[in-house]
Amino acid sequence: MTMQPRRWLSGAGVALASAAIYSIALGFFLALMLLVISMEEGGDNLSQLAIPLSEAIVLLSQGIGFEAGSITLTIMPLLLTLLLIGLIRSFAVHFGASSWQEYIAGAAVWMAINAVFTQGVSVGLLDPTWKICLKTYIVFTLGFALNAAPASQGLRRLTELARSRVSAPLRKAVAVGLKIGGLLIALYLLFGLITAATWAVRGNGAIVRLFELSGMQTGSRIFTVICSLAWLPNIGIWAISWLFGGGFAIGDLATFTLWSGRATGLPPLPVFAMLPEPVASDAMRNILVSIPLACGLVVGIAALVASRGFAIRFIRGDDSARAVDGGFADGAAADKAAGASGWRQAAIQFAYAAGGFCVASVATSLGMTLLLAVSNGSLGRQRLGYIGVDVMASTQRIGQPSVSGLFIAWLAVLIVVSAVFVVRLALARRLPAGGTAARIIGGHSGGRVGDGFDINVGDDGDIADRGTGIIDDDTGDNTENGPAGGKTGKGTRPVNSTLGSGAGASFVSDKISRRVISSMTTPKEDHDDDNSATDTTSPGFRLP
């Protein structure tokens, strides 16, 4: 095995470039913000704190909290975290880094850079060295994997192994289930961001009053709002819990739910000024709490009927009839097998759909649990020691209605498909009334008519072909052997048809008993000079 130094250098380049761009850009912004605050508010020059503060923010964006005096900050700014992961992925694409050598080199350099940052901060870090290395390693792995995973040989081998060991329907059920879970999480995040934006708009007046009370100038206000945006995803996740009935807390000082919203002695931060008031309307609260149920129901129905989902369709009407009435004697087994096959296929599809919904339920619950957990943190040690949501209670508020919606959709589609089958079966077995027209459908050979005939059943029970007039009446009992080896039943009169031969038959009955129409062609007659018929021979029957 060759060392391939270029690969190792590429991995190190990804880590160095990402750390440099991220920390330098963050450092310039913090230096400008501190300079503006120093100019507007007076006091010492704060720009000299830009470097240690930027290093602390770099670590904080990877989940490493710190404390400075009475302030303890462990709430991860998720917007900065997402930007950092995206930056690592972008440089991995730029350097073409996707191999394991590049990954190992990049992860080692990334952890070393963050270890250097820990030595330059002027605040106390709350995590030991091994936990710092673990958290920074996870962040780099996420960014690198976004580029390397799609083209990874390991993932390709795992996919090939799954294809060889797992059936295609089962693979599709798992894949569709994961897509459903991801779609539900994305919808909930969208609802949360919309709710957070609504809070900001409605709380604009409170934010302005807070700035006035604190004596902030225009520049300081702008930079404070920009800094607060780093925690916007956290507020959006808290908004999801609040919207669906879970709520969140700001330590022991404030609790916000749909039913209550009390706050006493909160720090003068603009983020806290926009937090919501309780919803007064019971009807509106019920609607908001029902959103996960509705999302699960709609997404579940769409997944069941979509061609890229489980693609469940109605059982065909002819299969319904064949499953119960096997048709003619020589085709009964085949017709019953066709009907049973339709039912069996539908049952298998619903079973795989149920399994896929189980996968979706697990994916939704685990995904929301992870998001709720990383959004929490603290701003202090006592009354502000915990800020965020109750993870277990909020997960139940979100997960249980979502699962219920999925399986209500499954049950509803099952009922509809079954009902349509029953209706089609009833229509297929229903005897047509006098004066109606019946379409002769396909069947098997052996004394039956060809595909595509139309016959009329008169009020008196006579059967008339639309092209040849009346071809059978309601008199006499005649039992004869058909030309193709079949036998007509008692009370029927076999006749010739001019519509050609073929395979297919249907019973038509009103006053008359079961009718069988021969599929043989009409023989041609020879005529003498006086235009009288001399002899008629044919393999079929002659008209009386």
Side-chain angles (χ1 to χ4, degrees):
M1 179 183 296
T2 59
M3 287 296 296
Q4 294 180 330
R6 183 179 177 277
R7 291 183 179 271
W8 297 91
L9 292 176
S10 296
V14 171
L16 288 171
S18 301
I21 297 298
Y22 183 72
S23 59
I24 290 174
L26 187 61
F28 277 133
F29 172 79
L30 293 176
L32 180 60
M33 181 188 71
L34 294 174
L35 178 61
V36 171
I37 292 175
S38 299
M39 294 174 60
E40 290 186 346
E41 308 300 331
D44 298 335
N45 185 9
L46 300 177
S47 299
Q48 59 185 355
L49 301 176
I51 294 179
L53 183 58
S54 61
E55 292 174 342
I57 298 299
V58 170
L59 296 174
L60 180 64
S61 60
Q62 300 177 80
I64 303 165
F66 60 86
E67 59 181 356
S70 60
I71 298 176
T72 300
L73 182 58
T74 62
I75 305 176
M76 187 188 311
L78 291 180
L79 183 59
L80 293 181
T81 304
L82 295 176
L83 291 176
L84 179 57
I85 292 174
L87 187 64
I88 295 172
R89 187 254 177 196
S90 298
F91 277 107
V93 173
H94 178 74
F95 284 93
S98 60
S99 65
W100 64 270
Q101 297 98 326
E102 292 161 327
Y103 169 67
I104 292 176
V109 172
W110 182 260
M111 289 187 291
I113 292 173
N114 284 277
V116 173
F117 287 163
T118 60
Q119 304 301 317
V121 296
S122 58
V123 294
L125 300 178
L126 300 178
D127 293 329
T129 303
W130 69 268
K131 188 176 290 187
I132 293 174
C133 293
L134 177 62
K135 291 181 177 180
T136 56
Y137 171 78
I138 292 174
V139 171
F140 182 83
T141 299
L142 291 175
F144 192 90
L146 289 177
N147 173 60
S152 173
Q153 293 183 356
L155 182 61
R156 189 180 300 111
R157 292 174 182 173
L158 183 62
T159 303
E160 293 175 355
L161 180 62
R163 288 179 178 176
S164 62
R165 300 294 180 87
V166 183
S167 63
L170 182 57
R171 295 199 309 270
K172 183 177 181 180
V174 173
V176 173
L178 293 176
K179 290 178 182 178
I180 292 173
L183 179 58
L184 289 176
I185 292 175
L187 286 175
Y188 298 156
L189 289 175
L190 178 62
F191 284 129
L193 292 177
I194 293 174
T195 304
T198 304
W199 291 351
V201 173
R202 292 174 59 87
N204 179 60
I207 295 174
V208 172
R209 287 194 299 271
L210 178 63
F211 284 144
E212 292 174 352
L213 292 174
S214 61
M216 284 189 182
Q217 302 299 317
T218 303
S220 300
R221 295 182 183 185
I222 294 174
F223 279 104
T224 301
V225 171
I226 294 175
C227 290
S228 300
L229 292 177
W231 285 271
L232 180 61
N234 302 66
I235 300 174
I237 295 173
W238 299 347
I240 296 174
S241 178
W242 178 87
L243 190 66
F244 299 156
F248 61 95
I250 309 297
D252 297 333
L253 304 178
T255 301
F256 299 93
T257 66
L258 291 175
W259 294 266
S260 64
R262 62 175 182 83
T264 56
L266 287 176
L269 298 176
V271 174
F272 294 155
M274 59 177 275
L275 295 180
E277 298 177 354
V279 178
S281 173
D282 291 337
M284 181 58 67
R285 285 197 296 264
N286 292 332
I287 292 174
L288 295 178
V289 172
S290 301
I291 290 177
L293 178 66
C295 290
L297 180 62
V298 173
V299 173
I301 293 176
L304 287 170
V305 302
S307 58
R308 293 189 177 182
F310 297 104
I312 292 178
R313 298 292 183 265
F314 295 126
I315 303 173
R316 295 190 306 169
D318 53 350
D319 285 348
S320 304
R322 293 174 187 178
V324 177
D325 183 4
F328 293 91
D330 59 348
D335 284 338
K336 289 181 179 178
S341 176
W343 258 115
R344 187 183 305 111
Q345 182 64 26
I348 292 173
Q349 286 179 322
F350 275 105
Y352 279 118
F357 283 174
C358 290
V359 174
S361 303
V362 174
T364 303
S365 299
L366 291 179
M368 290 307 305
T369 300
L370 179 61
L371 290 175
L372 293 169
V374 299
S375 67
N376 296 334
S378 65
L379 277 177
R381 290 185 177 275
Q382 298 180 0
R383 293 188 302 170
L384 293 175
Y386 185 82
I387 297 178
V389 302
D390 186 339
V391 176
M392 295 304 298
S394 299
T395 301
Q396 291 179 355
R397 286 282 188 173
I398 299 171
Q400 289 181 354
S402 302
V403 174
S404 300
L406 289 176
F407 284 97
I408 289 174
W410 183 86
L411 185 60
V413 173
L414 177 62
I415 292 174
V416 170
V417 171
S418 301
V420 171
F421 170 78
V422 172
V423 171
R424 287 181 172 179
L425 179 61
L427 293 177
R429 299 192 62 182
R430 181 181 178 184
L431 300 179
T436 61
R439 179 74 175 171
I440 299 180
I441 61 175
H444 294 273
S445 61
R448 273 165 294 204
V449 299
D451 296 342
F453 290 71
D454 283 338
I455 62 173
N456 291 332
V457 182
D459 294 332
D460 57 354
D462 293 338
I463 302 178
D465 185 275
R466 288 184 179 176
T468 61
I470 294 177
I471 58 176
D472 197 5
D473 55 28
D474 193 24
T475 62
D477 294 338
N478 189 8
T479 304
E480 299 183 35
N481 291 331
K487 283 190 177 184
T488 61
K490 186 175 182 179
T492 67
R493 178 166 298 174
V495 296
N496 288 331
S497 170
T498 60
L499 299 178
S501 61
S506 175
F507 289 110
V508 180
S509 174
D510 183 5
K511 297 179 183 179
I512 61 174
S513 301
R514 181 177 298 180
R515 314 280 181 172
V516 180
I517 303 174
S518 175
S519 59
M520 306 307 298
T521 59
T522 302
K524 296 183 179 180
E525 294 182 339
D526 296 331
H527 297 271
D528 289 334
D529 294 336
D530 58 355
N531 200 30
S532 61
T534 59
D535 186 23
T536 301
T537 58
S538 71
F541 298 100
R542 292 180 297 176
L543 290 173

